[in-house]
């Protein structure tokens, strides 16, 4: 999933005729002051970061005048919200809210269907509503082949007690929200609150949105507005992580490659994914190793993707060795992996006879993979050693290669 910042999400909603507050995006306190003056007071000032629960973090504030807007903006810009430093702000006209509803659409992978969750109580975490007021929540799955019919949307809100003009408006918005969900390959869209204003309007006051990064090739208007891989991040992606996301997106129909950069470290680590790979990572740490990254790949990636991710692993400053360790594969061609790894070493002018490198992989086309690695001078093992053995071997190779340097 690729997270969508709130301003981008609201632009998409407005484009699809779902009302949102007027807003402007700024990157400093003076800009917030000018934006607030332009929008008119009172205003809401929000941290524009790709995480939720900003209000609980104190990163959503209200301002009644220009001085207060500038002061609140400075406070928010000095914050780090769930490891994300705030460098931009969303300034929007504060709504005069008389009632708050909740609406979301996400994909239920267990049933392979979109699921709508609606509530007559919005403005708080849906988990709190589910725990304290379960009667105010309705959950309905949608047959993706038929889509959401307006009578179904109307039934949802009617069952929650809406009637009259508000029922008609909520029905229309939920129908359009489903259209947005499908049109932009969304994985989740949440409006919380879906605000009923004092003049009877229904407005998407705050939204959370994510889209399927594997479908971004179908969404050219989103390509430079969302950050693929951001759902897996507990902090902003590093430059190298962003580059590796781009590698993963090449030939996206085949294979995956996920790169996570760690602080420090000198072992470039590439693994085949799954629990076994986590055990190898733990083994490296237990044996005194220092992995510079955690990188999974699988799904039979092509040579170019393998080569690209290996070059990323090797390019991090401070990396002094390479370990590719995976379990026995049944769908990944080991000879293609071999070609990708060898190509990366050659293009980076790394001599495997001097540079500690080891591959432990077994499976389809193992005999050819052995031949290729042997010709390239890269030490290769199949199932004759365990994955933990491979962790011990790479650490021993490093000790020998850098003896006296203290690594």
């Amino acid at each position: 999933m690729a997270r969508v910042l709130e301003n981008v999400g609201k632009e998409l909603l407005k484009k699809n005729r779902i009302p949102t507050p007027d807003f402007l995006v700024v990157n400093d306190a003076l800009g917030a002051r000018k934006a607030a003056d332009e929008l008119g007071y009172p205003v809401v000032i929000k941290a524009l970061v790709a995480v939720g629960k900003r209000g609980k973090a104190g990163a959503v504030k209200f301002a009644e005048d220009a001085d207060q807007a500038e002061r609140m903006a400075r406070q928010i810009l000095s914050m780090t919200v769930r490891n994300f430093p705030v460098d931009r702000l969303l300034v929007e006209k504060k709504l005069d809210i008389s009632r708050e509803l909740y609406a979301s659409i996400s994909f239920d992978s267990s049933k392979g269907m979109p699921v709508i969750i609606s509530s007559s109580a919005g403005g708080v975490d849906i988990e709190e509503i589910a725990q304290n007021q379960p009667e105010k929540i309705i959950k309905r799955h949608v047959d993706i082949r038929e889509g959401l019919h307006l009578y179904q949307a109307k039934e949802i809100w009617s069952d929650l007690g809406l009637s009259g003009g508000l029922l008609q408006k909520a029905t229309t918005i939920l129908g359009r929200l489903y259209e947005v969900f499908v049109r932009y390959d969304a994985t989740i869209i949440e409006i919380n609150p879906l605000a009923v204003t004092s003049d009877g309007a229904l407005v998407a006051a705050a939204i959370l949105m994510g889209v399927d990064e594997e479908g971004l090739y179908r969404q050219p208007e989103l390509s430079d507005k969302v950050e693929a891989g951001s759902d897996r991040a507990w902090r902003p992606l590093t430059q190298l992580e962003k580059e590796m996301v781009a590698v993963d997106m090449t030939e996206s129909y085949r294979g995956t490659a996920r790169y996570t950069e760690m602080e420090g470290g000198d072992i470039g680590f590439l693994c085949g994914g799954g629990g076994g790979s986590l055990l190898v990572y733990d083994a490296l740490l237990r044996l005194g190793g220092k992995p510079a990254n955690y990188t999974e790949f699988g799904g039979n990636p092509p040579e170019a993707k393998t080569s690209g991710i290996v070059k990323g692993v090797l390019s991090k400053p401070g990396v002094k060795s390479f370990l590719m360790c995976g379990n026995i594969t049944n769908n990944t061609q080991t000879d293609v992996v071999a070609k990708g790894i060898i190509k990366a070493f050659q293009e980076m002018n790394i001599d495997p006879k001097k540079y500690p490198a080891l591959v432990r992989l077994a499976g389809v086309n193992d005999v050819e993979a052995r031949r290729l690695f042997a010709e390239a001078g890269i030490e290769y093992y199949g199932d004759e050693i365990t994955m933990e053995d491979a962790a011990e071997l790479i650490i021993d190779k490093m000790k020998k290669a850098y003896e006296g340097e203290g690594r």
Side-chain angles (χ1 to χ4, degrees), residues 171-320:
T171 297
T172 299
I173 283 182
L174 188 55
R176 291 173 180 170
L177 192 66
Y178 185 80
E179 291 175 1
V180 171
F181 180 82
V182 173
R183 181 173 297 137
Y184 296 103
D185 292 306
T187 53
I188 183 171
I189 305 179
E190 178 187 76
I191 302 178
N192 189 22
L194 178 57
V196 183
T197 64
S198 57
D199 60 0
L202 200 53
V203 183
I207 78 160
L208 179 151
M209 184 174 180
V211 297
D212 182 1
E213 62 187 51
E214 302 297 339
L216 283 177
Y217 71 95
R218 291 192 296 262
Q219 308 295 342
E221 67 179 291
L222 295 181
S223 61
D224 60 347
K225 295 181 179 180
V226 301
E227 190 166 75
S230 53
D231 67 305
R232 297 183 295 277
W234 64 90
R235 47 153 175 75
L237 296 180
T238 67
Q239 182 58 39
L240 185 52
E241 286 171 337
K242 292 178 181 178
E243 292 171 5
M244 293 303 98
V245 168
V247 169
D248 184 43
M249 295 299 287
T250 60
E251 298 186 72
S252 58
Y253 61 89
R254 179 180 165 190
T256 58
R258 315 289 196 193
Y259 178 93
T260 301
E261 187 171 351
M262 300 300 181
E263 185 175 349
D266 53 12
I267 300 174
F269 180 52
L270 177 64
C271 57
S277 299
L278 291 172
L279 291 174
V280 177
Y281 188 89
D282 288 343
L284 288 170
L285 294 175
R286 188 174 64 253
L287 294 166
K290 301 174 184 176
N293 63 281
Y294 180 83
T295 303
E296 294 183 350
F297 82 125
N300 200 25
E303 180 182 334
K305 185 175 290 189
T306 301
S307 173
I309 203 73
V310 172
K311 286 196 284 188
V313 168
L314 294 170
S315 68
K316 180 186 172 183
V319 169
K320 302 167 71 176

Side-chain angles (χ1 to χ4, degrees), residues 317-376:
V319 169
K320 302 167 71 176
S321 66
F322 175 76
L323 171 63
M324 191 279 125
C325 190
N327 212 333
I328 300 172
T329 71
N330 59 9
N331 68 337
T332 295
Q333 296 168 273
T334 59
D335 59 326
V336 175
V337 173
K339 291 175 183 177
I341 293 174
I342 293 166
K343 181 179 180 182
F345 271 73
Q346 291 174 342
E347 291 183 353
M348 296 187 72
N349 295 315
I350 295 175
D351 184 354
K353 295 178 181 177
K354 299 178 181 179
Y355 188 92
L358 186 145
V359 175
R360 191 276 186 190
L361 185 65
V364 179
N365 298 339
D366 176 79
V367 173
E368 178 64 8
R370 286 178 184 272
R371 184 187 69 78
L372 291 168
F373 279 123
E375 289 181 357

Side-chain angles (χ1 to χ4, degrees), residues 22-83:
D22 293 332
F23 65 85
L24 293 167
V25 176
V26 300
N27 55 19
D28 57 37
L30 184 58
R33 182 187 186 110
K34 293 178 179 178
D37 285 342
E38 181 177 338
L39 292 168
Y41 296 93
V43 295
V44 186
I45 303 175
K46 304 179 180 181
L48 197 54
V49 289
V51 293
K53 305 187 188 302
R54 292 168 296 172
K56 288 188 174 182
V60 177
K61 298 183 181 295
F62 303 95
E64 300 290 336
D65 56 47
D67 289 340
Q68 190 177 27
E70 186 173 346
R71 185 168 64 255
M72 295 297 100
R74 290 189 191 282
Q75 289 180 16
I76 297 175
L77 285 167
S78 68
M79 293 179 176
T80 296
V81 181
R82 293 170 60 191
N83 297 315

